[in-house]
Amino acid sequence: AQKVTQAQTEISVVEKEDVTLDCVYETRDTTYYLFWYKQPPSGELVFLIRRNSFDEQNEISGRYSWNFQKSTSSFNFTITASQVVDSAVYFCALSGIHYSGGGADGLTFGKGTHLIIQP
Amino acid sequence: DGGITQSPKYLFRKEGQNVTLSCEQNLNHDAMYWYRQDPGQGLRLIYYSQIVNDFQKGDIAEGYSVSREKKESFPLTVTSAQKNPTAFYLCASSIAGVSREKLFFGSGTQLSVL
C-alpha cells in the first residue's frame, strides 16, 4: 500500500519568514507521481505542482520551490518570504500505477499541513 | 469560465433522510470523483467515474451512491445508511482519469446532521 505522511499538522510563522512543508511518501511502484495542492479557506483545492518519479530536478516558481529526493522519499515544499495570502491547508499526494487501471483510485493524500501566516 | 460547480454550499440532513449533493463540470473532462474530508484528515475517495454510465467504488463507498448519466454531472447521494455523514464533500474532475493527471476541484459542500 502507498502512504503519504505530512508530519506537520500546523505551522505558524510571521509574514516574510521562509517556511518548509514536509512530505514523506511510501510506494512499491517505480513509476509514480507526486503532487502538491493548496486549500484556501474557500475550500477548493488548487493544484500547485506535479513531479514524476524520474525527474528529481528541483523546481522554483516565484516564491515557491520544491525539493524532490528519492533517496529519502521526500517531496518538500518551501515558501520564501511568506505572505498572508499563503495561509491555507497544503496537501501532498502520491499517485502510483500499481492500482487497477492506474486511475485516480491510486491517488493518496496526506493529512495536510495548516499553514498560518501572521501579519 | 470553465470549472466545477458544487451545490449547495451547506446542507443539513435529518435522521433517516437521504440527501443529494450536486456536482457539475463544464471542462469536458471524462473523469469525475467524490472525496470526503474530515477535520485534520486527508481526502478519502468515495466514488469515481471515468466514463458515462460507469463508476467505481473508492475506499469509503458504504452509505453513499452515485450516478453518471451525463458527462457533465456526477451527483452524490448520502443515504440513511451512512451513520456519520458530517463532513466536507469535494467533487473533482480530470481529463481522462489516469494517474499522472492533476485534479480540478469544486468549492465543496459542508454536510451536517440535525
Coordinates of all heavy atoms in Angstrom, one line a residue, chain A residues 80-117:
Chain A
T80 N 9.1 31.0 0.2 CA 10.1 32.0 0.6 C 9.4 33.4 0.8 O 8.4 33.7 0.0 CB 11.2 32.2 -0.5 OG1 11.8 30.9 -0.7 CG2 12.2 33.2 -0.2
A81 N 9.8 34.1 1.8 CA 9.1 35.4 2.1 C 7.6 35.3 2.1 O 6.9 35.9 1.3 CB 9.6 36.4 1.0
S82 N 7.1 34.5 3.0 CA 5.7 34.1 3.1 C 4.8 35.4 3.2 O 5.3 36.4 3.7 CB 5.5 33.2 4.3 OG 5.8 33.9 5.5
Q83 N 3.6 35.2 2.7 CA 2.6 36.3 2.7 C 1.4 35.8 3.4 O 1.1 34.6 3.3 CB 2.4 36.8 1.3 CG 3.6 37.4 0.6 CD 3.3 37.8 -0.8 OE1 2.2 37.7 -1.3 NE2 4.3 38.3 -1.5
V84 N 0.5 36.7 3.9 CA -0.7 36.3 4.5 C -1.6 35.5 3.5 O -2.3 34.5 3.9 CB -1.5 37.5 5.0 CG1 -2.9 37.2 5.5 CG2 -0.7 38.2 6.1
V85 N -1.5 35.8 2.3 CA -2.3 35.0 1.3 C -1.9 33.6 1.1 O -2.6 32.8 0.5 CB -2.3 35.7 -0.1 CG1 -3.0 37.1 -0.1 CG2 -0.9 35.8 -0.6
D86 N -0.7 33.3 1.7 CA -0.3 31.9 1.6 C -0.9 31.0 2.7 O -0.8 29.8 2.7 CB 1.3 31.8 1.8 CG 2.0 32.5 0.7 OD1 1.6 32.4 -0.5 OD2 3.1 33.1 1.0
S87 N -1.7 31.6 3.6 CA -2.4 30.9 4.6 C -3.4 30.0 4.0 O -4.3 30.4 3.3 CB -3.1 31.9 5.6 OG -2.2 32.7 6.3
A88 N -3.2 28.7 4.3 CA -4.1 27.6 3.7 C -3.7 26.3 4.3 O -2.8 26.2 5.1 CB -3.9 27.6 2.2
V89 N -4.4 25.3 3.9 CA -4.0 23.9 4.2 C -3.4 23.4 2.9 O -3.9 23.5 1.8 CB -5.2 23.0 4.6 CG1 -4.7 21.6 4.8 CG2 -5.9 23.6 5.8
Y90 N -2.2 22.8 3.1 CA -1.5 22.3 1.9 C -1.4 20.7 2.0 O -1.1 20.2 3.0 CB -0.1 22.8 1.9 CG 0.0 24.3 1.6 CD1 -0.2 25.3 2.6 CD2 0.1 24.7 0.3 CE1 -0.2 26.6 2.3 CE2 0.2 26.1 0.0 CZ 0.0 27.0 1.0 OH 0.0 28.4 0.7
F91 N -1.8 20.1 0.9 CA -1.8 18.7 0.8 C -0.7 18.2 -0.2 O -0.6 18.7 -1.3 CB -3.2 18.2 0.3 CG -4.3 18.4 1.3 CD1 -5.1 19.4 1.2 CD2 -4.5 17.4 2.3 CE1 -6.1 19.6 2.1 CE2 -5.5 17.6 3.2 CZ -6.3 18.7 3.1
C92 N 0.0 17.1 0.3 CA 0.9 16.4 -0.6 C 0.1 15.1 -1.0 O -0.6 14.6 -0.2 CB 2.1 16.1 0.2 SG 3.4 15.1 -0.8
A93 N 0.3 14.7 -2.2 CA -0.4 13.5 -2.7 C 0.5 12.7 -3.6 O 1.4 13.2 -4.3 CB -1.7 13.9 -3.5
L94 N 0.2 11.4 -3.6 CA 1.0 10.4 -4.4 C 0.1 9.6 -5.3 O -0.9 9.1 -4.8 CB 1.7 9.5 -3.4 CG 2.4 8.2 -3.9 CD1 3.6 8.5 -4.8 CD2 2.8 7.3 -2.8
S95 N 0.5 9.4 -6.5 CA -0.3 8.6 -7.4 C 0.6 7.6 -8.0 O 1.6 7.9 -8.7 CB -0.9 9.5 -8.5 OG -1.7 8.7 -9.4
G96 N 0.3 6.3 -7.8 CA 1.1 5.2 -8.4 C 0.3 4.5 -9.5 O -0.9 4.8 -9.7
I97 N 0.9 3.6 -10.1 CA 0.2 2.9 -11.2 C 0.0 1.4 -10.8 O -0.4 0.6 -11.6 CB 1.0 2.9 -12.5 CG1 2.4 2.3 -12.3 CG2 1.1 4.3 -13.0 CD1 3.1 2.1 -13.7
H98 N 0.3 1.2 -9.5 CA 0.1 -0.2 -9.0 C -1.4 -0.6 -9.0 O -1.7 -1.8 -9.2 CB 0.7 -0.3 -7.6 CG 0.6 -1.7 -7.0 ND1 1.4 -2.8 -7.5 CD2 -0.2 -2.2 -6.1 CE1 1.1 -3.8 -6.8 NE2 0.1 -3.6 -5.9
Y99 N -2.2 0.4 -8.7 CA -3.6 0.1 -8.5 C -4.3 -0.1 -9.9 O -3.8 0.3 -10.9 CB -4.3 1.2 -7.8 CG -3.9 1.3 -6.3 CD1 -2.8 2.0 -6.0 CD2 -4.6 0.6 -5.3 CE1 -2.4 2.1 -4.7 CE2 -4.2 0.7 -4.0 CZ -3.1 1.4 -3.7 OH -2.6 1.5 -2.4
S100 N -5.4 -0.8 -9.9 CA -6.0 -1.2 -11.1 C -6.4 0.0 -12.0 O -6.9 1.0 -11.5 CB -7.3 -1.9 -10.8 OG -8.2 -1.1 -10.1
G101 N -6.0 -0.1 -13.3 CA -6.3 1.0 -14.2 C -5.4 2.2 -14.1 O -5.5 3.1 -15.0
G102 N -4.7 2.3 -13.0 CA -3.8 3.5 -12.9 C -4.6 4.8 -12.8 O -4.0 5.8 -12.9
G103 N -5.8 4.7 -12.4 CA -6.6 5.9 -12.3 C -6.5 6.5 -11.0 O -5.7 6.2 -10.2
A104 N -7.4 7.5 -10.7 CA -7.3 8.3 -9.5 C -7.6 7.4 -8.3 O -7.5 7.9 -7.2 CB -8.2 9.5 -9.6
D105 N -8.1 6.2 -8.4 CA -8.2 5.4 -7.3 C -6.9 5.1 -6.6 O -6.8 4.6 -5.5 CB -9.0 4.1 -7.6 CG -8.2 3.3 -8.6 OD1 -7.6 3.9 -9.5 OD2 -8.3 2.0 -8.6
G106 N -5.8 5.4 -7.4 CA -4.5 5.2 -6.8 C -3.9 6.4 -6.2 O -2.7 6.5 -6.0
L107 N -4.7 7.5 -6.1 CA -4.2 8.8 -5.5 C -4.4 8.8 -4.0 O -5.5 8.7 -3.5 CB -5.0 9.9 -6.2 CG -4.5 11.3 -5.8 CD1 -3.1 11.6 -6.2 CD2 -5.5 12.3 -6.5
T108 N -3.3 9.0 -3.3 CA -3.3 9.0 -1.9 C -2.9 10.4 -1.4 O -1.8 10.9 -1.7 CB -2.4 7.9 -1.3 OG1 -2.8 6.6 -1.7 CG2 -2.4 8.0 0.3
F109 N -3.7 11.0 -0.5 CA -3.4 12.3 0.0 C -2.8 12.1 1.4 O -3.2 11.2 2.2 CB -4.7 13.1 0.1 CG -5.2 13.7 -1.2 CD1 -6.0 13.0 -2.0 CD2 -4.8 15.0 -1.5 CE1 -6.4 13.5 -3.2 CE2 -5.2 15.5 -2.7 CZ -6.0 14.8 -3.6
G110 N -1.9 13.0 1.8 CA -1.5 13.2 3.2 C -2.6 13.9 3.9 O -3.6 14.3 3.3
K111 N -2.5 14.0 5.2 CA -3.5 14.7 6.1 C -3.5 16.2 6.0 O -4.3 16.8 6.6 CB -3.4 14.2 7.5 CG -3.7 12.7 7.6 CD -3.7 12.3 9.1 CE -4.2 10.8 9.2 NZ -4.3 10.3 10.6
G112 N -2.5 16.7 5.4 CA -2.4 18.2 5.2 C -1.7 18.9 6.3 O -1.6 18.4 7.4
T113 N -1.1 20.0 5.9 CA -0.5 20.9 6.9 C -1.2 22.3 6.8 O -1.3 22.9 5.8 CB 1.0 21.1 6.5 OG1 1.7 19.9 6.7 CG2 1.7 22.2 7.5
H114 N -1.7 22.7 8.0 CA -2.3 24.0 8.0 C -1.3 25.1 8.3 O -0.6 25.1 9.3 CB -3.4 24.0 9.2 CG -4.2 25.2 9.3 ND1 -4.9 25.6 10.4 CD2 -4.4 26.2 8.4 CE1 -5.5 26.7 10.2 NE2 -5.2 27.1 8.9
L115 N -1.1 25.9 7.3 CA -0.1 27.0 7.4 C -0.8 28.3 7.7 O -1.7 28.7 7.0 CB 0.6 27.1 6.1 CG 1.7 28.2 6.0 CD1 2.8 28.0 7.0 CD2 2.3 28.3 4.5
I116 N -0.3 28.9 8.8 CA -0.9 30.2 9.2 C 0.2 31.2 9.1 O 1.3 31.1 9.7 CB -1.4 30.1 10.7 CG1 -2.5 29.1 10.8 CG2 -1.9 31.5 11.1 CD1 -2.8 28.7 12.2
I117 N 0.0 32.3 8.3 CA 0.9 33.4 8.2 C 0.4 34.6 8.9 O -0.7 35.1 8.5 CB 1.2 33.7 6.7 CG1 1.5 32.5 5.9 CG2 2.3 34.8 6.6 CD1 2.8 31.7 6.3

